[in-house]
Amino acid sequence: MDPSTRQQKNAPAFKKSKSRKNINHFTDVQGLPCIERIVSSVEDTPEPISTNITGKIPEWINGNFLRNGPGKFEIGNQRFNHWFDGMALLHQFKICNGRVTYKSRFLSSDSYQANNENNRIAVSEFGTITMPDPCKNFFQRFLSRFELPKPSDNANVSFVTYKGDYYVSTETNVMHKVDPVTLQTTKKVDWSKFIAVNGATAHPHTEPDGTTYNMGNSYTTKGAYYNIIRVPPTKETAEDTLEGATVLCSIPSALKTKPSYYHSFAMSENYVVFVEQPIKMNLLKIVTGKLTGKSISDGFFWDPKLKTIFHLIDKQTGMVNSIKYLAKPLSTFHQINAYEDNGLLIIDMCASDDGQAIANYKIQNLRKSGEALDEVYNTLCRVFPRRFVLPLNVDDDTPYDQNLNTLSNSAATSVRIAKNKVFCTHEDLHGKDLHQYGGLEFPQINYGKHNTRPYRYFYGCGFRHLVGDTLIKMDLHEKHMKVWEQPDLYPSEPIFVPSPNATEEDDGVILSVVITPNKDKSTFLLVLDAKTFEELGRAVVPVNIPYGFHGTFNATA
């Protein structure tokens, strides 16, 4: 039986939703299993340990599979409030000649050290505001509430590369350079020391020559700006980090003191594509959070009255396209790919019609069970892969009120509605069978060969829970899908690794760390054949690992 049409054994029962409309909830779910242990604190394992191999790990895979995510959720007798707040734990699966070793190390950030030294949460995080030091007198504690919040350097989101070096990153202005072999922190790097930004995303894009693009906000007396960043491909000296980084252009926020939140952006051959979405940040509420006792997350809000705006920036000149491409309100955390074709820019993304999901990922929600857990899940808006098609050559002669999308067999529309405005609707990149898997997130492609180029396949996690519980391969030609699933197992973001001398797009393997919350010390690295989506082997780790966010594969000779 094709796994895309097979309902998982012991899967939750679904029923039609009656309470919510027009925001892609589609179904309600009952009987979700508790996953509390995926957000339980663990100890790190700084020395490599052997894993138990079942099946076969292809001997041509040689390198380090690196993962990042939260690993410590309590400091002393205080608990973090949000999943995004846990102390960064870096993981390495070293794969060589069919064998795998594992080790992990907590990131030696300023936040981690301050928390440990004080045995309490000493640095505020996204969803947790630090309380005044109880050792200070009343007047000192009172004055401390008027201090601006110190940005956290708890880089627990992703591994990224600049100029061939590896860094761990979150969304503040600080990254940490990390040795991918030892996992040791070697240097703290502050974006604001090189360019005028207050942070950057944990999802940069890299050209084949090594030039890297990213985005960061800046806040001035004139308002908030979105900045496109370009980092050169090579180092002048061995000690170089972000030297030579430049701001390619600055785009003013549509609302000066309430800029949009963004987790990533898209890039085609000639353009950076920034999606200005209606998830907003109230800067006044954020900067006064210490005074009011509110966390950064309390300053986020969803404004469904606002349209989504696609901004196109020329990568060579830094010029912002005068055309504003509009769409109905949507939220997106991860784009899949973008490329150009006959005067059109195609951008594929994972998106939903509601931007309130962040608030649902409080740790207390992830630790719920029974009806309380079901209720949390059923308030989430489902995320599905979508395609938008943006016409690049809009001028005075471009007609109004007709579809400018000339792609064959594409349901997306792009209609000129004003001199410099085009309104776009999306095309679904999936069939109905994806609905039973709760949508799709954590998308990945064969990045080295097909980023910014036409492509056929992408991979992601199905979300029939608050975290991924299936792995999915999507074929865009026929909108068919393959699924890997096993009861009570929760796979993380799938990473594609190409086979040596690969000639086809999906010739390679998928790597994913699978969390087993109902079993002790049985988390494993899963290796799938990317073409057939059949399991090749797994490497079982004899320690517990929390569910993480993002990673990368560092190939070695």
Side-chain angles (χ1 to χ4, degrees), residues 141-316:
R141 294 200 301 271
F142 175 74
L143 287 181
S144 71
R145 289 189 176 275
F146 292 87
E147 298 172 355
L148 288 175
K150 178 184 177 182
S152 172
D153 66 336
N154 178 35
N156 66 0
V157 176
S158 187
F159 273 88
V160 298
T161 57
Y162 294 96
K163 303 181 182 180
D165 291 326
Y166 282 80
Y167 295 82
V168 287
S169 176
T170 179
E171 296 178 336
T172 66
N173 60 311
V174 177
M175 299 188 300
H176 292 273
K177 190 175 178 180
V178 172
D179 185 324
V181 176
T182 66
L183 296 184
Q184 289 182 327
T185 307
T186 62
K187 197 167 188 176
K188 177 181 174 181
V189 180
D190 187 337
W191 278 101
S192 64
K193 302 298 183 183
F194 301 91
I195 50 177
V197 296
N198 296 93
T201 82
H203 291 289
H205 279 291
T206 303
E207 301 273 31
D209 71 351
T211 301
T212 306
Y213 292 85
N214 207 336
M215 286 193 60
N217 282 355
S218 61
Y219 309 121
T220 73
T221 56
K222 296 181 180 180
Y225 290 81
Y226 313 108
N227 300 293
I228 310 301
I229 303 165
R230 182 162 58 199
V231 181
T234 57
K235 296 185 286 188
E236 295 294 329
T237 70
E239 298 302 313
D240 268 8
T241 55
L242 300 176
E243 281 80 2
T246 57
V247 172
L248 189 61
C249 77
S250 293
I251 304 170
S253 169
L255 301 177
K256 289 186 177 181
T257 61
K258 297 176 181 178
S260 290
Y261 169 74
Y262 54 92
H263 183 71
S264 60
F265 62 99
M267 185 176 82
S268 69
E269 181 181 1
N270 295 296
Y271 296 93
V272 167
V273 186
F274 165 50
V275 184
E276 189 172 10
Q277 60 188 345
I279 302 178
K280 294 293 181 178
M281 299 182 292
N282 186 322
L283 297 183
L284 179 61
K285 184 176 287 188
I286 290 173
V287 299
T288 59
K290 200 164 186 180
L291 178 63
T292 60
K294 299 293 185 181
S295 68
I296 294 172
S297 63
D298 291 320
F300 281 53
F301 66 99
W302 167 250
D303 189 345
K305 299 186 299 296
L306 299 175
K307 295 286 192 296
T308 300
I309 307 173
F310 295 84
H311 299 275
L312 271 57
I313 302 93
D314 187 296
K315 286 157 60 177
Q316 299 305 315

Side-chain angles (χ1 to χ4, degrees), residues 324 326 399-401 415-423:
K324 293 294 180 287
L326 307 176
Y400 291 81
D401 301 324
V415 177
R416 188 184 185 192
I417 59 172
K419 179 178 175 59
N420 292 320
K421 291 181 180 180
V422 173
F423 189 83

Side-chain angles (χ1 to χ4, degrees), residues 99-118:
R99 308 306 298 172
V100 179
T101 60
Y102 168 80
K103 65 180 173 183
S104 64
R105 190 183 293 273
F106 279 109
L107 175 67
S108 183
S109 63
D110 293 348
S111 299
Y112 179 76
Q113 295 180 46
N115 291 340
N116 284 346
E117 290 170 4
N118 291 277

Side-chain angles (χ1 to χ4, degrees), residues 240-542:
D240 268 8
T241 55
L242 300 176
E243 281 80 2
T246 57
V247 172
L248 189 61
C249 77
S250 293
I251 304 170
S253 169
L255 301 177
K256 289 186 177 181
T257 61
K258 297 176 181 178
S260 290
Y261 169 74
Y262 54 92
H263 183 71
S264 60
F265 62 99
M267 185 176 82
S268 69
E269 181 181 1
N270 295 296
Y271 296 93
V272 167
V273 186
F274 165 50
V275 184
E276 189 172 10
Q277 60 188 345
I279 302 178
K280 294 293 181 178
M281 299 182 292
N282 186 322
L283 297 183
L284 179 61
K285 184 176 287 188
I286 290 173
V287 299
T288 59
K290 200 164 186 180
L291 178 63
T292 60
K294 299 293 185 181
S295 68
I296 294 172
S297 63
D298 291 320
F300 281 53
F301 66 99
W302 167 250
D303 189 345
K305 299 186 299 296
L306 299 175
K307 295 286 192 296
T308 300
I309 307 173
F310 295 84
H311 299 275
L312 271 57
I313 302 93
D314 187 296
K315 286 157 60 177
Q316 299 305 315
T317 67
M319 296 294 293
V320 182
N321 195 313
S322 61
I323 303 299
K324 293 294 180 287
Y325 301 89
L326 307 176
K328 69 178 184 178
L330 63 80
S331 69
T332 178
F333 288 93
H334 301 109
Q335 285 74 55
I336 304 169
N337 197 9
Y339 61 93
E340 298 157 42
D341 182 7
N342 292 320
L344 302 170
L345 190 148
I346 293 91
I347 174 172
D348 297 342
M349 65 178 69
C350 292
S352 69
D353 297 323
D354 187 330
Q356 304 183 76
I358 294 176
N360 287 281
Y361 282 95
K362 295 178 179 178
I363 289 179
Q364 64 186 30
N365 288 336
L366 290 165
R367 290 175 171 165
K368 287 179 177 178
S369 60
E371 292 183 0
L373 178 59
D374 295 345
E375 183 178 356
V376 172
Y377 179 78
N378 290 326
T379 63
L380 290 174
C381 192
R382 309 293 186 253
V383 177
F384 285 89
R386 298 175 175 177
R387 169 167 292 179
F388 288 87
V389 180
L390 314 182
L392 293 171
N393 304 314
V394 178
D395 55 28
D396 290 342
D397 297 326
T398 302
Y400 291 81
D401 301 324
Q402 73 178 51
N403 188 9
L404 303 177
N405 176 15
T406 57
L407 288 181
S408 60
N409 302 317
S410 173
T413 67
S414 300
V415 177
R416 188 184 185 192
I417 59 172
K419 179 178 175 59
N420 292 320
K421 291 181 180 180
V422 173
F423 189 83
C424 304
T425 65
H426 72 268
E427 168 191 358
D428 289 331
L429 293 180
H430 61 90
K432 293 182 179 179
D433 47 1
L434 183 57
H435 289 198
Q436 68 173 300
Y437 294 96
L440 183 146
E441 254 290 6
F442 293 145
Q444 289 288 325
I445 63 171
N446 182 340
Y447 190 93
K449 293 293 185 181
H450 289 274
N451 188 55
T452 76
R453 301 178 182 90
Y455 70 116
R456 179 172 178 176
Y457 304 106
F458 67 90
Y459 312 88
C461 289
F463 270 67
R464 291 180 301 190
H465 211 300
L466 296 179
V467 299
D469 68 344
T470 57
L471 290 172
I472 294 173
K473 175 185 180 180
M474 192 70 67
D475 182 342
L476 290 176
H477 283 193
E478 301 295 336
K479 297 184 179 177
H480 288 166
M481 52 189 269
K482 296 179 185 292
V483 178
W484 180 91
E485 57 177 343
Q486 289 189 16
D488 301 320
L489 298 183
Y490 297 88
S492 66
E493 171 192 59
I495 298 295
F496 177 85
V497 180
S499 300
N501 305 313
T503 58
E504 296 184 329
E505 180 182 341
D506 59 348
D507 188 357
V509 298
I510 291 295
L511 303 180
S512 175
V513 178
V514 180
I515 309 300
T516 57
N518 296 325
K519 295 181 180 180
D520 189 46
K521 299 179 181 178
S522 57
T523 294
F524 59 91
L525 171 65
L526 174 69
V527 182
L528 298 180
D529 183 310
K531 188 178 292 292
T532 65
F533 232 50
E534 295 296 324
E535 180 172 334
L536 297 175
R538 60 179 68 178
V540 180
V541 182

Side-chain angles (χ1 to χ4, degrees), residues 28-48:
D28 277 349
V29 65
Q30 295 176 333
L32 285 174
C34 180
I35 55 172
E36 178 178 3
R37 287 179 59 181
I38 71 171
V39 285
S40 294
S41 296
V42 299
E43 299 298 323
D44 60 0
T45 309
E47 296 300 322

